[in-house]
């Protein structure tokens, strides 16, 4: 066995020279499966935490102002992380992959199709959200519990300030994780999703616990919400683990582009408008957004 100093590659004698092992590589499938389990578990833990507080204290005794401030600042940090992950990591990887797929198929584009696909991901979530809102408005005569269940099980949930969270977007978030082939990129996107989903899960459960929904209904809503991203990860894994071909790579890259558009939707339609529309802690919010962006930028710079 021959070891080249200064390199992480180990060449095995008796084997072809191109057969090498990199001890720093972690199989991508294992990382994705780990991300699936962690996302599901952490989302449930953050969702059940308010329920335990309510059950232990008899009522929710969390200071509303302090809770809102902390959640708002962490949400702004998550927004910066999302923005950097999308703009500096997810989109460049998607553009590289889809251009390579077009080259392999001998296709020359005269139209900015890759960018158009990203826009379609953005508009897909927007249209789905507005359709569900329209259906919700038509069902205004239902009981309070039926209205809440319709919102949660269809696509949307609202916090006390009216912020909207699209469950379809969370499926596409998970899809972005499952479609990645590099383990490091899987971890980066997973961290961004953990921040985002933990905040939403805690706030959603706290709001439902303060309402009049039965505990079983609250648990059902949380389970549905927690399953969205793992479902997307599973779909992405199924696509990446199948036999690769130029057509397959094109399909995978197209879905990755739609997922990138979903990330943009979450940033510019869910997180930033909601947080920056409030007059409280404006400078602190901007600082947290920049901090989140800087953290991801630093990680990517170190990787270089």
């Amino acid at each position: 066995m021959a070891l080249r100093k200064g390199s992480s590659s180990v060449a095995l004698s008796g084997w072809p020279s191109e057969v090498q092992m990199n001890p720093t590589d972690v199989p991508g499938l294992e990382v994705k499966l780990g991300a699936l389990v962690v996302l599901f578990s952490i989302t449930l833990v953050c969702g059940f935490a308010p329920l335990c507080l309510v059950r232990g204290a008899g009522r929710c005794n969390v200071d509303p102002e302090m809770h809102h401030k902390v959640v708002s600042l962490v949400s702004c940090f998550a927004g910066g992380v999302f923005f950097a992950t999308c703009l500096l990591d997810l989109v460049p990887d998607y553009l590289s992959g889809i251009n390579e797929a077009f080259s392999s198929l001998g296709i020359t584009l005269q139209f900015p199709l890759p960018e158009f696909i990203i826009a379609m991901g953005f508009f897909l979530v927007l249209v789905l959200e507005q359709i569900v809102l329209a259906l919700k408005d038509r069902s205004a005569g239902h009981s309070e519990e039926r209205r809440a269940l319709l919102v949660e099980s269809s696509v949307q949930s609202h916090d006390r300030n009216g912020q909207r969270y699209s469950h379809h977007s969370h499926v596409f978030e998970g899809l972005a994780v499952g479609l990645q082939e590099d383990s490091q990129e899987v971890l980066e996107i997973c961290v961004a999703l953990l921040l985002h989903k933990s905040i939403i899960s805690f706030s959603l459960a706290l709001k439902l616990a303060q309402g009049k929904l039965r505990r079983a209904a609250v648990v059902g809503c949380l389970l549905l919400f927690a399953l969205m991203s793992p479902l997307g990860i599973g779909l992405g894994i199924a696509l990446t683990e199948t036999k690769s071909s130029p057509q397959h790579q094109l399909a995978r890259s197209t879905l990755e582009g739609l997922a990138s558009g979903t990330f943009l939707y979450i940033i510019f339609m869910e997180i930033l408008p909601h947080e920056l529309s409030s007059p409280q802690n404006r400078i602190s919010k901007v600082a947290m957004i920049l901090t989140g962006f800087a953290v991801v930028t630093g990680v990517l710079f170190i990787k270089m």
Side-chain angles (χ1 to χ4, degrees):
M1 180 175 71
L3 175 64
R4 293 198 300 270
K5 186 177 181 180
S7 172
S8 61
S9 298
V10 179
L12 301 178
S13 59
W15 290 81
S17 59
E18 58 269 13
V19 178
Q20 297 179 336
M21 297 174 58
N22 191 336
T24 62
D25 286 342
V26 179
L29 179 59
E30 283 77 358
V31 175
K32 293 176 187 178
L33 292 176
L36 187 154
V37 173
V38 170
L39 273 173
F40 180 75
S41 302
I42 297 299
T43 302
L44 283 183
V45 169
C46 292
F48 286 130
L51 301 183
C52 295
L53 290 175
V54 172
R55 184 177 182 179
R59 64 183 183 90
C60 188
N61 57 358
V62 179
D63 182 8
E65 293 301 324
M66 180 58 66
H67 165 260
H68 176 64
K69 181 178 179 180
V70 171
V71 169
S72 178
L73 292 177
V74 177
S75 181
C76 288
F77 178 82
V81 171
F82 255 68
F83 190 29
T85 301
C86 178
L87 192 63
L88 305 180
D89 193 6
L90 193 59
V91 170
D93 182 67
Y94 153 69
L95 292 176
S96 175
I98 197 168
N99 288 328
E100 180 181 343
F102 283 131
S103 298
S104 299
L105 294 171
I107 299 175
T108 302
L109 296 176
Q110 303 296 330
F111 177 80
L113 183 59
E115 292 79 6
F116 179 81
I117 292 174
I118 295 178
M120 288 301 98
F122 180 95
F123 287 120
L124 175 62
V125 181
L126 177 64
V127 170
L128 288 174
E129 176 179 323
Q130 295 306 311
I131 290 175
V132 173
L133 282 176
L135 294 175
K136 175 180 175 291
D137 293 338
R138 291 184 181 181
S139 62
H142 290 211
S143 66
E144 179 179 351
E145 182 169 332
R146 289 190 63 185
R147 288 202 307 270
L149 288 176
L150 173 64
V151 173
E152 297 304 325
S153 63
S154 297
V155 173
Q156 302 256 94
S157 61
H158 295 256
D159 69 7
R160 68 186 185 124
N161 294 311
Q163 184 174 6
R164 301 186 299 271
Y165 302 117
S166 168
H167 285 191
H168 284 88
S169 69
H170 292 293
V171 174
F172 279 102
E173 287 174 358
L175 191 62
V177 176
L179 290 173
Q180 299 300 313
E181 295 183 338
D182 181 75
S183 299
Q184 185 67 31
E185 292 181 353
V186 171
L187 293 176
E188 291 169 1
I189 300 176
C190 184
V191 169
L193 292 185
L194 276 175
L195 284 172
H196 184 54
K197 288 184 69 71
S198 298
I199 297 167
I200 298 176
S201 182
F202 185 89
S203 299
L204 170 62
L206 186 62
K207 177 181 181 296
L208 294 177
Q210 291 171 333
K212 299 179 181 180
L213 282 177
R214 298 191 306 270
R215 185 173 293 271
V218 176
V219 172
C221 292
L222 290 175
L223 286 173
L224 177 65
F225 176 76
L227 282 171
M228 292 298 101
S229 288
L231 176 62
I233 295 176
L235 292 175
I237 291 175
L239 289 170
T240 54
E241 294 300 315
T242 55
K243 185 176 180 180
S244 181
S245 66
Q247 292 82 2
H248 174 268
Q249 183 181 2
L250 180 59
R252 184 181 66 83
S253 297
T254 299
L255 290 174
E256 194 172 352
L258 294 175
S260 300
T262 300
F263 268 60
L264 292 176
Y265 179 90
I266 294 169
I267 297 165
F268 294 110
M269 297 294 286
E270 288 187 353
I271 299 178
L272 296 187
H274 168 69
E275 300 299 343
L276 298 181
S277 64
S278 174
Q280 288 82 20
N281 307 306
R282 289 190 181 276
I283 303 302
S284 299
K285 291 176 181 179
V286 173
M288 292 301 290
I289 293 172
L290 294 175
T291 301
F293 190 93
V295 168
V296 176
T297 303
V299 171
L300 293 176
F301 184 80
I302 293 173
K303 282 175 59 180
M304 297 174 60

